[in-house]
């Protein structure tokens, strides 16, 4: 299409017509090819230009934020996954969305809930059930999901991307938590029969402190007492 081969191979009556053909080809390549190509692939926009892909991502409410952070190939892949390969937009699309907009170092964990605990206060992963020796039959699988950021060096998970996930996932899937796990030595205070815990006077390295980040805000600050959403105690 770019070279207009049929026009090049068409008959020219004289030198003037040949010059007009060459001029038309140059003008087409410079001013019209991009728009013409996008029109030609309108039904399969992931093959189109950066501008066409951007328009479909925004119009489809797939990535309605500053998408300059996304590589062009990832944008094509995201649009393809959303529009053609995963119409139900389940966990596969969720993984695709995070991979394209943020990176590869994460896990998607579906959460279970204890049958005798008020919903949703007893959420836990299948791995945590096994680690703590609990009976899996005492739990039921929910539609709530935990995104576990697994990268060693802390990196922001932009709030705008987290918000956008609400628009791209079906109502049956609910992102309950976005967490970053780390480890450090600390004193743990437990109140009797309480579900609230506090960690105080921590002793961890500067590298560990830098790793503990959630949505770009340091969890460990300058104080001596810190709150956690979940912790695992190791008495060794």
């Amino acid at each position: 299409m770019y070279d207009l081969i049929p026009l090049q191979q068409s008959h020219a009556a004289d030198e003037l017509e040949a010059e007009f053909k060459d001029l038309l080809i140059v003008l087409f390549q410079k001013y019209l090819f991009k728009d013409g190509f996008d029109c030609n692939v309108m039904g399969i926009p992931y093959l189109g230009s950066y501008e066409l892909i951007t328009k479909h991502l925004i119009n489809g409410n797939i990535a309605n934020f500053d998408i300059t952070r996304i590589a062009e190939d990832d944008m094509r892949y995201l649009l393809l996954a959303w529009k053609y390969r995963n119409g139900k937009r389940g966990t596969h699309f969720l993984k695709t969305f995070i991979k394209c907009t943020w990176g590869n170092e994460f896990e998607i964990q579906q959460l279970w809930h204890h049958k005798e605990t008020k919903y949703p206060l007893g959420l836990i992963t299948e791995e945590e059930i096994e680690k703590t020796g609990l009976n899996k039959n005492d739990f039921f699988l929910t539609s709530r999901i935990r995104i576990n950021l697994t990268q060693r060096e802390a990196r922001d998970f932009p709030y705008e991307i987290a918000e956008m996930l609400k628009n791209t996932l079906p109502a049956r899937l609910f992102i309950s938590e976005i967490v970053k796990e780390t480890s450090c030595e600390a004193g743990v205070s437990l109140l009797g029969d309480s579900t609230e815990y506090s960690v105080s006077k921590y002793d961890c390295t500067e590298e560990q402190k830098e790793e503990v980040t959630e949505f770009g805000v340091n969890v460990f600050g300058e104080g001596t007492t810190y709150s956690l959403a979940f912790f695992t105690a190791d008495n060794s």
Side-chain angles (χ1 to χ4, degrees):
M1 181 178 179
Y2 179 77
D3 294 320
L4 293 181
I5 299 299
L7 180 60
Q8 288 189 35
Q9 295 179 347
S10 66
H11 174 70
D14 51 35
E15 184 177 348
L16 180 62
E17 186 176 351
E19 290 178 355
F20 270 119
K21 283 172 54 179
D22 293 340
L23 177 61
L24 178 59
I25 292 172
V26 170
L27 293 175
F28 173 80
Q29 292 174 345
K30 186 173 182 178
Y31 297 108
L32 297 176
F33 169 74
K34 192 174 182 180
D35 291 339
F37 181 78
D38 280 349
C39 289
N40 198 42
V41 297
M42 192 62 69
I44 44 176
Y46 63 90
L47 293 178
S49 66
Y50 178 88
E51 289 75 14
L52 183 64
I53 298 170
T54 300
K55 178 187 287 187
H56 275 76
L57 287 175
I58 294 176
N59 289 348
N61 210 19
I62 310 167
N64 195 13
F65 51 85
D66 179 13
I67 57 178
T68 56
R69 74 177 77 232
I70 312 176
E72 185 171 340
D73 287 344
D74 284 342
M75 290 173 60
R76 295 181 190 278
Y77 182 54
L78 179 61
L79 182 59
L80 178 64
W82 176 78
K83 194 170 181 64
Y84 299 99
R85 291 187 176 174
N86 196 39
K88 295 182 179 179
R89 306 188 205 174
T91 55
H92 175 72
F93 177 75
L94 174 61
K95 292 177 181 178
T96 302
F97 186 95
I98 298 175
K99 169 191 172 294
C100 293
T101 57
W102 184 77
N104 288 308
E105 298 179 12
F106 66 93
E107 294 175 349
I108 303 295
Q109 300 169 325
Q110 197 157 356
L111 298 174
W112 295 67
H113 194 279
H114 198 280
K115 294 177 181 178
E116 296 183 1
T117 305
K118 184 178 179 181
Y119 192 83
L121 302 179
L123 294 168
I124 191 172
T125 66
E126 184 174 8
E127 182 181 4
E128 290 165 353
I129 294 175
E130 295 173 354
K131 281 184 177 181
T132 52
L134 298 173
N135 188 346
K136 189 176 177 180
N137 293 327
D138 293 334
F139 295 81
F140 63 89
L141 186 62
T142 74
S143 59
R144 292 185 176 235
I145 291 172
R146 175 188 296 170
I147 300 174
N148 184 21
L149 310 181
T150 60
Q151 81 282 8
R152 178 166 178 76
E153 295 183 3
R155 188 158 63 84
D156 293 355
F157 192 93
Y159 176 77
E160 59 189 5
I161 291 180
E163 282 291 295
M164 202 63 217
L165 286 171
K166 296 178 181 179
N167 296 327
T168 55
L169 292 179
R172 62 183 178 81
L173 289 180
F174 181 83
I175 298 175
S176 178
E177 305 164 351
I178 300 177
V179 302
K180 170 70 173 75
E181 294 183 1
T182 192
S183 61
C184 66
E185 296 179 1
V188 180
S189 301
L190 303 179
L191 299 177
D193 299 325
S194 173
T195 57
E196 301 297 328
Y197 312 96
S198 67
V199 178
S200 61
K201 297 182 181 178
Y202 69 90
D203 179 18
C204 59
T205 65
E206 288 300 318
E207 180 183 3
Q208 287 174 322
K209 274 200 289 187
E210 291 176 359
E211 284 183 13
V212 185
T213 303
E214 183 177 9
F215 295 111
V217 179
N218 288 330
V219 178
F220 289 139
E222 298 298 329
T224 58
T225 303
Y226 315 92
S227 62
L228 298 176
F230 179 85
F231 73 88
T232 302
D234 184 355
N235 296 324
S236 60

